Amino acid sequence: MGAGHSHHHANAARASQSKMARAILMTLVFVAMEATAGLFAHSLALISDAGHNFADAAALGLSWYALWIAKKPSHQGMTYGYHRVGILAALVNAVSLVVIALVIVWEAINRLQHPESVNGGAMIVVALVGAIVNIVISIWLHTGAKDDLNVRSAYLHMVGDALSAIGVIIAGIVVTLTGSHASDVVASFLIAGLILYTSWDVLKESLTVLLEGTPVGMDIGEVEKTIASVPGVLNVHDLHVWTVGPGVIACTCHILVAEQSIHEGHQILKAVVTEVEHHFQINHTTVQVEVEGHDGCQKFCSVQEGSR
């Protein structure tokens, strides 16, 4: 991996970890307040949102742990290090969101069958505080969410919470103005739908990474064309590109070259590595060079200098 890219990703991870620790503490304090208010106001929307926020605190804790352990160096037993922990954290977070949404739907259906009076004023006040808390945390995590699926899963938890809180505020206003308690249940259904919607992309992308699929947004055909366009490359085959973890994209391929000195072949290899890193941010590339007219036993292989 290039030193500049590695240093930038490490700094971003440290910044995200620090912000996430503060976010966990802030979220837990708010959860205690919201759950108490929800019980007092008999509001399913508030209680549902408190449960969602508690799960988010757990999700933030898991994401924090993933960022921490990813800094541990690789060793003989874990040659790629612990980058995949972040992907596992993202998957667990996404699955937890789905479970939370299903629980909220179940409780909302039960509330329709057994309605209770709701304190609209308490809903508005508590949800307003929740919206502010979650918006602040979302802003903290926004930058790190761009390049790290683990941080993005935590970020989406917070964005979902902020939007859920806004839904509760609207429901509280309707309850206060009209006296209709059905809006509390409607808000709960909307919160559940929103949770499912925001979790889908993270769930899909984390599964793609764990199944070693092509990174989201990458055109494998373009990667092949770029390698084939390098002077001296006659053919490209056995091309594989996958994500190891946040900030680490790996590639292996075989290229066919004309018979020449090992030095000349090595220059072609270096050009291939440079091109895929420049165009596709692939920073861990292994290229196997095959010489035209020779069988598979006469090959030589190299790994990009500085790769993990």
Side-chain angles (χ1 to χ4, degrees):
M1 182 184 293
H5 182 92
S6 178
H7 183 68
H8 169 76
H9 186 75
N11 286 340
R14 279 193 294 270
S16 296
Q17 187 179 357
S18 174
K19 292 173 181 176
M20 213 166 282
R22 292 187 306 228
I24 293 168
L25 179 60
M26 185 181 293
T27 302
L28 287 174
V29 170
F30 176 70
V31 165
M33 182 186 75
E34 186 175 36
T36 302
L39 292 172
F40 168 77
H42 303 289
S43 170
L44 177 61
L46 275 181
I47 295 172
S48 298
D49 199 48
H52 183 197
N53 276 295
F54 180 75
D56 285 346
L60 286 170
L62 183 60
S63 295
W64 179 90
Y65 172 76
L67 289 170
W68 173 77
I69 199 170
K71 295 187 296 183
K72 294 184 66 175
S74 58
H75 53 79
Q76 290 184 351
M78 298 287 288
T79 56
Y80 270 123
Y82 294 84
H83 298 288
R84 278 286 168 90
V85 176
I87 305 302
L88 288 171
L91 178 61
V92 171
N93 285 345
V95 171
S96 71
L97 283 170
V98 173
V99 172
I100 290 167
L102 295 177
V103 170
I104 291 173
V105 169
W106 177 266
E107 290 298 327
I109 293 173
N110 185 62
R111 180 61 65 90
L112 281 175
Q113 297 172 340
H114 307 283
E116 295 184 21
S117 60
V118 180
N119 187 321
M123 289 175 64
I124 295 170
V125 173
V126 176
L128 181 61
V129 175
I132 293 171
V133 168
N134 288 300
I135 288 171
V136 169
I137 295 175
S138 298
I139 293 172
W140 287 351
L141 300 179
H142 180 262
T143 302
K146 296 178 182 178
D147 302 314
D148 192 319
L149 183 62
N150 172 36
V151 178
R152 193 186 319 158
S153 69
Y155 167 74
L156 288 176
H157 268 273
M158 295 301 104
V159 171
D161 276 351
L163 294 175
S164 296
I166 292 172
V168 174
I169 292 171
I170 295 172
I173 292 173
V174 173
V175 169
T176 301
L177 295 179
T178 67
S180 172
H181 304 300
S183 59
D184 180 58
V185 177
V186 171
S188 298
F189 278 121
L190 291 176
I191 289 169
L194 179 64
I195 292 170
L196 287 173
Y197 176 78
T198 56
S199 65
W200 174 248
D201 284 343
V202 172
L203 183 63
K204 182 173 66 174
E205 189 172 345
S206 57
L207 285 173
T208 297
V209 172
L210 292 173
L211 292 173
E212 298 191 343
T214 303
V216 175
M218 184 170 294
D219 186 336
I220 199 72
E222 287 299 315
V223 177
E224 184 175 1
K225 288 179 183 178
T226 298
I227 296 173
S229 68
V230 173
V233 175
L234 303 178
N235 178 264
V236 184
H237 59 280
D238 289 331
L239 173 63
H240 304 278
V241 181
W242 70 100
T243 302
V244 176
V248 184
I249 301 178
C251 169
T252 62
C253 67
H254 293 207
I255 61 173
L256 182 67
V257 301
E259 186 166 358
Q260 56 199 285
S261 70
I262 291 181
H263 175 74
E264 291 171 326
H266 186 69
Q267 295 306 307
I268 296 173
L269 181 151
K270 289 177 65 177
V272 168
V273 169
T274 299
E275 285 297 301
V276 296
E277 181 169 19
H278 175 70
H279 292 286
F280 305 102
Q281 289 73 57
I282 298 173
N283 44 38
H284 192 304
T285 302
T286 301
V287 181
Q288 182 162 302
V289 180
E290 301 174 358
V291 181
E292 188 178 33
H294 291 256
D295 62 29
C297 295
Q298 298 185 10
K299 302 172 183 175
F300 58 92
C301 177
S302 179
V303 181
Q304 177 187 358
E305 292 182 7
S307 295
R308 296 183 185 180

